[in-house]
């Protein structure tokens, strides 16, 4: 039994797929399959159920997964103590990110980190804040970026703030208002393009900064809004706004020159003066790999100078 076999097994469990595990670790699918077969042969049990479209752990697989993650964690701790991995990180870093930091902040951090450590490779999965938290808790990815606080099993490091903006086509009534500030009364009756469930913009219980929470505090009921579409992509939302379908609230950093060229107007919301805080998140009770530890420290120490 060696660590390559154990890592292959862990990644197949994470991704429920041999091919996705191979892609995430920059290996070939046959290599992953050989590692798993050799591991099962040595243990004398079947670890994975290969029936159907996805791969799932057998009862033996579920039992061994706990030991496997502990062994990798201890291995990483030993490497950190007895090598210079933290100063010269190598390997693959798995990042989970919600939509807004994934648009601009995370790519810039990856580039700056890779400039220093070119041997580091990345796999990035983008979803919403709630899914990022769940993935981290399930061992899918070591570092995450979210727009709200949640599970107490995660540590949250604030890394940047962003201003919320109302975006609307200049062909709609709200888009004809002069200046760059708009009042809620000027757009509350417009059709809304709303973010997916799990987005920090929609969360009330987890984020006092959320727009939905703000509306409720000021007497506007979510059920009374004219929600014409629910969309899980910021890019799709911006394009839909450009067509004149409706209005939406997004972070200022997600907007670019092409959006304005498409006829989108962006407004500060007069009554909504709450910048959103975005966080780097990671599990409390797990030892980060040397490359994840190095990236975490790099982001914490350099987030304010990355533009």
């Amino acid at each position: 039994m060696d660590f390559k076999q154990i890592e292959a097994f862990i990644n197949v469990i994470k991704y429920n797929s041999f091919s996705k595990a191979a892609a995430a670790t920059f290996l070939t699918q046959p290599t992953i399959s050989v590692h798993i077969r050799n591991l099962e042969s040595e243990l004398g049990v079947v670890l994975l159920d290969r029936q159907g479209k996805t791969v799932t752990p057998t009862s033996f697989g579920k039992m061994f997964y706990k030991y496997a993650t502990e062994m990798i964690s201890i291995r990483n701790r030993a490497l950190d103590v007895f090598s210079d991995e933290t100063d010269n990180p190598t390997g693959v870093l798995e990042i989970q990110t919600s939509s807004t930091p994934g648009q601009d902040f995370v790519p810039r951090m990856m580039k700056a980190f890779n400039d220093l450590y070119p041997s580091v490779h990345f796999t990035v999965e983008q979803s919403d804040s709630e899914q990022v938290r769940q993935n981290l808790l399930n061992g899918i990815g070591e570092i995450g970026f979210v727009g709200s606080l949640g599970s107490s099993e995660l540590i949250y490091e604030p890394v940047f703030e962003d201003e919320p903006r109302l975006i609307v086509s200049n062909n709609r009534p709200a888009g004809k208002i002069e200046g760059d500030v708009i009042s809620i009364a000027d757009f509350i009756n417009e059709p809304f393009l709303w973010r997916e469930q799990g987005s920090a913009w929609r969360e009330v219980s987890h984020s006092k900064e959320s727009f939905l929470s703000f509306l409720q505090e000021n007497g506007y009921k979510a059920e009374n809004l004219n929600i014409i579409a629910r969309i899980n992509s910021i890019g799709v939302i911006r394009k839909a706004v450009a067509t004149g379908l409706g209005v939406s609230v997004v972070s200022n950093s997600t907007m670019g020159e092409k959006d304005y060229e498409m006829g989108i107007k962006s407004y500060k919301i007069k009554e909504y003066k709450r910048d959103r805080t975005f966080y780097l998140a990671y599990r409390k009770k797990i030892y980060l790999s040397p490359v994840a530890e190095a990236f975490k420290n790099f982001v914490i120490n350099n987030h304010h100078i990355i533009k």
Side-chain angles (χ1 to χ4, degrees):
M1 183 186 308
D2 62 37
F3 285 114
K4 291 182 179 179
Q5 295 170 351
I6 297 171
E7 288 175 332
F9 168 72
I10 290 174
N11 281 307
V12 171
I13 296 295
K14 282 184 181 180
Y15 297 101
N16 300 118
S17 165
F18 282 85
S19 60
K20 291 180 180 179
T25 53
F26 297 91
L27 298 173
T28 65
Q29 185 172 336
T31 299
I32 294 290
S33 298
V34 169
H35 285 325
I36 298 299
R37 285 200 301 270
N38 290 341
L39 182 60
E40 290 179 326
S41 177
E42 184 172 347
L43 293 173
V45 297
V46 176
L47 297 172
L48 299 171
D49 182 355
R50 298 164 173 83
Q51 302 299 317
K53 295 183 179 180
T54 60
V55 180
T56 57
T58 63
S59 58
F60 290 113
K62 292 177 181 177
M63 186 185 305
F64 183 69
Y65 182 78
K66 297 179 181 179
Y67 294 109
T69 54
E70 289 177 6
M71 284 188 280
I72 293 299
S73 181
I74 293 172
R75 188 279 305 268
N76 290 340
R77 184 183 295 273
L79 286 174
D80 194 22
V81 172
F82 295 106
S83 75
D84 63 348
E85 274 288 296
T86 300
D87 295 328
N88 298 284
T90 60
V92 180
L93 175 62
E94 298 178 57
I95 297 174
Q96 296 286 322
T97 180
S98 62
S99 299
T100 297
Q103 292 283 313
D104 185 74
F105 181 79
V106 172
R108 289 178 182 274
M109 279 293 169
M110 290 166 55
K111 176 59 168 63
F113 188 74
N114 188 251
D115 286 344
L116 293 176
Y117 308 111
S119 295
V120 173
H121 299 270
F122 303 90
T123 61
V124 181
E125 183 175 354
Q126 183 171 296
S127 53
D128 57 58
S129 291
E130 179 58 27
Q131 188 61 55
V132 169
R133 288 191 288 267
Q134 289 303 315
N135 286 345
L136 291 176
L137 293 174
N138 291 330
I140 303 175
E142 293 186 273
I143 298 293
F145 293 90
V146 294
S148 62
L149 303 177
S151 171
S152 60
E153 296 180 42
L154 298 176
I155 294 174
Y156 301 89
E157 304 280 359
V159 289
F160 76 99
E161 292 187 344
D162 205 350
E163 181 184 56
R165 288 274 183 155
L166 186 284
I167 58 172
V168 58
S169 167
N170 56 21
N171 292 322
R172 294 203 63 85
K176 299 182 184 301
I177 293 175
E178 297 293 330
D180 67 347
V181 179
I182 194 169
S183 177
I184 291 177
D186 293 325
F187 67 83
I188 196 66
N189 293 320
E190 291 272 9
F192 271 78
L193 306 177
W194 211 242
R195 289 287 304 281
E196 75 280 14
Q197 188 68 37
S199 163
W201 283 120
R202 293 190 54 183
E203 294 169 359
V204 178
S205 60
H206 289 166
S207 176
K208 293 182 179 179
E209 300 169 345
S210 75
F211 184 62
L212 182 55
S213 175
F214 169 78
L215 288 179
Q216 291 184 342
E217 289 173 5
N218 287 271
Y220 297 99
K221 296 182 179 180
E223 56 267 28
N224 292 337
L225 297 178
N226 179 15
I227 300 175
I228 196 170
R230 300 180 188 275
I231 303 173
N232 65 358
S233 165
I234 291 178
V236 175
I237 285 177
R238 298 201 311 267
K239 290 180 180 179
V241 167
T243 68
L245 182 62
V247 305
S248 192
V249 179
V250 300
S251 290
N252 190 44
S253 66
T254 65
M255 299 297 294
E257 288 299 323
K258 290 184 179 180
D259 296 305
Y260 301 116
E261 291 172 4
M262 291 190 297
I264 293 178
K265 292 193 69 174
S266 170
Y267 294 96
K268 295 180 180 180
I269 301 172
K270 181 178 180 180
E271 301 89 346
Y272 189 49
K273 300 177 181 179
R274 304 180 185 179
D275 287 352
R276 288 185 62 195
T277 302
F278 292 87
Y279 306 88
L280 180 153
Y282 55 97
R283 288 173 62 186
K284 282 183 178 179
K285 298 181 180 179
I286 194 71
Y287 186 80
L288 293 176
S289 67
V291 65
E293 181 72 22
F295 184 72
K296 180 200 75 174
N297 292 333
F298 177 82
V299 173
I300 292 173
N301 292 328
N302 295 282
H303 64 86
H304 58 289
I305 62 174
I306 301 297
K307 303 296 184 183

